[in-house]
Amino acid sequence: MSEKKNRAWRQLWNTFFGKSWPMWVGGLILATLNICLFLVKSPWGGSGTYINWGENLYQAIGIFGLKNIAPVHHNLYGLLGTMTLLGALLGALLSREFALRIPPAGEMLKGFIGGIFMALGCTLGIGCTVGGFLSGIPALNAGAIFIGLGFIIGAWLALRYLLWEMEKLPKMSSGKSLTILAAKGKGGIWQPMLGVIIFAFLLIGASRLFKNDNVLTWFAIIGLFLGLVCQRSRFCVTRSFREPFMTGESEAPVAIMLTLLVTLFGFTVIKYMGVGASTPGAARVLALTWVYPHFWLKALIGGIIFGIGMVIAGGCAVGTLWRIGEGQIKLWFAGLGFILMAPISKKFIVPGFSHLLPEWAQKTVFLPDVFKYWGTVLLLLVIILLWYLFVKWNERTGKFSAI
Amino acid sequence: MDVKVDQTLDCRGLSCPMPILKMAKAIKDMSSGEVLEILGTDPGSKTDIPGWCEKTGNEFLGLEDLGDHSKFYIKKA
């Protein structure tokens, strides 16, 4: 009887931590968590974390004249991303997948450069793959469509570069590498044990640190689960934009489409009903959440630059966060490039860029103002359907796939 | 794993998408029936490599998990 009970527990453990979850399963959970974030305060985003970390870093050093920057644990997105990173560390430890994977030097350089591109792209275009697209489309923001188009173009360009690099500069991705702290055989039990200790520590820490602030508490808890789910399902938005041009597989794009559909449903209900808004003015503010002045060229340019960066780095803003937690050193360098560049771009490059672009290139367009709610949802469903038909056709024919 | 290996590709330390790109290039240059052994450390490769084989028709012979890295075996179609 006891053996049977043990087997049942082992099966339950293996369901969550035995092998990776399908990406679409992760996507459905992440969509639900994203809707929860919006109900608490505002939707999921990744780039705000790096901006907050970078601004805190420069403020501590005392350069660029940054003052009164919210500390990480008091900034919603600084906190959310930090907890996402820790959640991914937790997921990697519990599944014995944590290891410090040190790649060849050329890969670390690519990570750093990719991070710089992502920082430029998300600050110029206002948004990354998660905040700008995965939350932006369900937020019924017209600019999100163009940021997505930018990711497609950027991913295609960067993939061309990687193929060229393999032929002409093979040393960039070869050479000495090192893996340390990996879980080996029965000795690797330290990883899940450490994971359980960290989980308990984080729960106790979060409940003490934010006991007077419900919004921060929920962002901390949801952030932890975002990281855990991302790591277990290897949730990768970069892959969904890159893969049609690389292997042609449709698993990642379809997972992203499912994530978008569920999130779209939740966000539309929240915005249409004005959930939590007590006055018409507050309902309008809620409806315009995550709708930015970047339609259309600004979003497109930012998307292209970000798309190049994410493919070279091997992860977008959130993809970088969870891979940092998993111990992938290339993505540590991507994170470093992102952190160092994001505040510089925000303070010194974005104002000039915005000034340079004409007004028609950076409009704020809330789609229901143009097409009503039903028309907007229909339009977005048609776009997602066309995207689905394209990736499935491309998977079958390989017309756009490089390998 | 008891297979005759014709070529070994070291992808240790590399993260997505480099292992798949390098593997595809290596397979392209091999002859039908030859076996490629890939050494890798990216956890994603455990699903990416069998998935790519299924899609391209190459035969995935299996993987050995050695703790600090894994070995994957592919027979070119």
Side-chain angles (χ1 to χ4, degrees):
Chain A
M1 190 66 194
S2 163
E3 176 56 31
K4 274 187 184 169
K5 209 192 282 179
N6 280 343
R7 202 184 310 147
W9 282 115
R10 220 170 19 246
Q11 278 173 348
L12 182 66
W13 180 267
N14 284 338
T15 302
F16 291 107
F17 304 111
K19 59 180 182 181
S20 296
W21 312 347
M23 191 170 147
W24 67 268
V25 171
L28 295 182
I29 304 171
L30 293 170
T32 311
L33 292 171
N34 195 2
I35 294 166
C36 291
L37 277 178
F38 193 11
L39 285 170
V40 172
K41 178 77 179 174
S42 52
W44 188 18
S47 53
T49 300
Y50 297 93
I51 295 170
N52 176 254
W53 287 354
E55 286 179 340
N56 270 293
L57 176 72
Y58 287 129
Q59 182 178 249
I61 298 170
I63 53 174
F64 302 140
L66 293 168
K67 282 179 189 159
N68 303 320
I69 301 299
V72 172
H73 64 286
H74 279 166
N75 176 284
L76 282 181
Y77 290 91
L79 175 69
L80 187 75
T82 305
M83 294 304 282
T84 302
L85 190 159
L86 292 170
L89 168 67
L90 190 63
L93 286 171
L94 294 176
S95 54
R96 297 157 57 116
E97 284 182 349
F98 179 81
L100 294 176
R101 300 170 179 91
I102 305 167
E107 285 294 299
M108 291 191 267
L109 178 66
K110 275 160 65 184
F112 187 74
I113 292 170
I116 288 175
F117 269 76
M118 285 195 282
L120 282 167
C122 76
T123 47
L124 294 174
I126 317 181
C128 61
T129 48
V130 172
F133 186 75
L134 215 53
S135 294
I137 292 281
L140 316 176
N141 171 30
I145 299 168
F146 286 86
I147 222 167
L149 277 176
F151 295 151
I152 292 173
I153 297 167
W156 182 82
L157 287 171
L159 188 62
R160 295 283 110 194
Y161 164 75
L162 290 180
L163 293 168
W164 175 86
E165 180 202 283
M166 276 205 315
E167 292 292 334
K168 306 291 181 191
L169 299 169
K171 284 189 175 169
M172 281 294 281
S173 55
S174 55
K176 204 169 159 54
S177 68
L178 189 64
T179 302
I180 47 180
L181 293 176
K184 279 189 194 171
K186 285 186 177 172
I189 193 71
W190 68 268
Q191 288 205 7
M193 287 168 74
L194 181 62
V196 171
I197 294 167
I198 288 176
F199 186 56
F201 176 79
L202 285 173
L203 282 186
I204 296 166
S207 63
R208 288 183 71 86
L209 195 59
F210 308 118
K211 60 185 171 187
N212 296 322
D213 192 323
N214 283 332
V215 174
L216 283 173
T217 303
W218 278 113
F219 264 63
I221 292 169
I222 294 172
L224 189 67
F225 284 106
L226 288 174
L228 187 93
V229 175
C230 278
Q231 196 279 334
R232 294 313 304 131
S233 62
R234 309 203 71 73
F235 190 80
C236 187
V237 191
T238 303
R239 194 175 142 197
S240 73
F241 284 101
R242 182 192 63 215
E243 231 45 33
F245 302 120
M246 200 173 104
T247 62
E249 64 97 353
S250 65
E251 187 202 344
V254 170
I256 295 298
M257 289 172 214
L258 271 175
T259 313
L260 278 176
L261 287 175
V262 176
T263 318
L264 176 64
F265 188 81
F267 281 22
T268 304
V269 171
I270 294 170
K271 289 197 169 196
Y272 183 83
M273 296 299 294
V275 175
S278 51
T279 63
R284 181 66 182 164
V285 170
L286 182 77
L288 291 178
T289 304
W290 245 235
V291 183
Y292 295 113
H294 60 170
F295 176 81
W296 55 279
L297 190 58
K298 191 175 192 184
L300 184 71
I301 293 171
I304 293 172
I305 298 170
F306 191 93
I308 292 171
M310 71 183 183
V311 171
I312 290 175
C316 64
V318 171
T320 296
L321 278 178
W322 70 255
R323 288 181 176 92
I324 289 174
E326 194 178 67
Q328 298 202 33
I329 303 298
K330 178 182 179 183
L331 281 304
W332 289 27
F333 278 84
L336 182 66
F338 209 142
I339 290 167
L340 293 178
M341 192 63 200
I344 294 174
S345 177
K346 186 181 160 194
K347 191 171 168 70
F348 299 109
I349 302 174
V350 170
F353 177 70
S354 300
H355 185 70
L356 198 70
L357 283 178
E359 194 266 337
W360 55 260
Q362 44 185 337
K363 290 175 91 76
T364 303
V365 180
F366 180 49
L367 285 165
D369 288 346
V370 184
F371 301 111
K372 309 283 184 210
Y373 271 94
W374 67 268
T376 298
V377 171
L378 191 65
L379 171 73
L380 294 175
L381 289 178
V382 168
I383 290 173
I384 292 169
L385 178 67
L386 289 175
W387 187 18
Y388 176 80
L389 292 174
F390 167 74
V391 296
K392 281 294 178 187
W393 168 79
N394 184 55
E395 184 177 49
R396 205 174 58 247
T397 62
K399 287 276 184 204
F400 286 84
S401 314
I403 60 173
Chain B
M1 207 167 177
D2 193 21
V3 286
K4 182 185 164 288
V5 172
D6 296 288
Q7 193 181 324
T8 297
L9 178 67
D10 189 355
C11 292
R12 283 176 294 183
L14 298 182
S15 53
C16 187
M18 298 315 290
I20 292 280
L21 285 176
K22 289 195 155 204
M23 177 193 66
K25 184 173 183 290
I27 284 279
K28 196 176 161 190
D29 297 337
M30 290 171 74
S31 304
S32 179
E34 287 188 327
V35 173
L36 175 67
E37 177 190 56
I38 304 151
L39 315 180
T41 52
D42 181 12
S45 295
K46 289 178 184 172
T47 49
D48 291 350
I49 291 178
W52 182 82
C53 288
E54 198 183 322
K55 188 179 174 297
T56 54
N58 295 293
E59 188 182 353
F60 180 66
L61 300 175
L63 78 89
E64 274 182 275
D65 197 342
L66 304 174
D68 60 347
H69 72 282
S70 300
K71 288 182 177 179
F72 304 82
Y73 298 92
I74 301 171
K75 189 189 227 178
K76 179 164 177 173

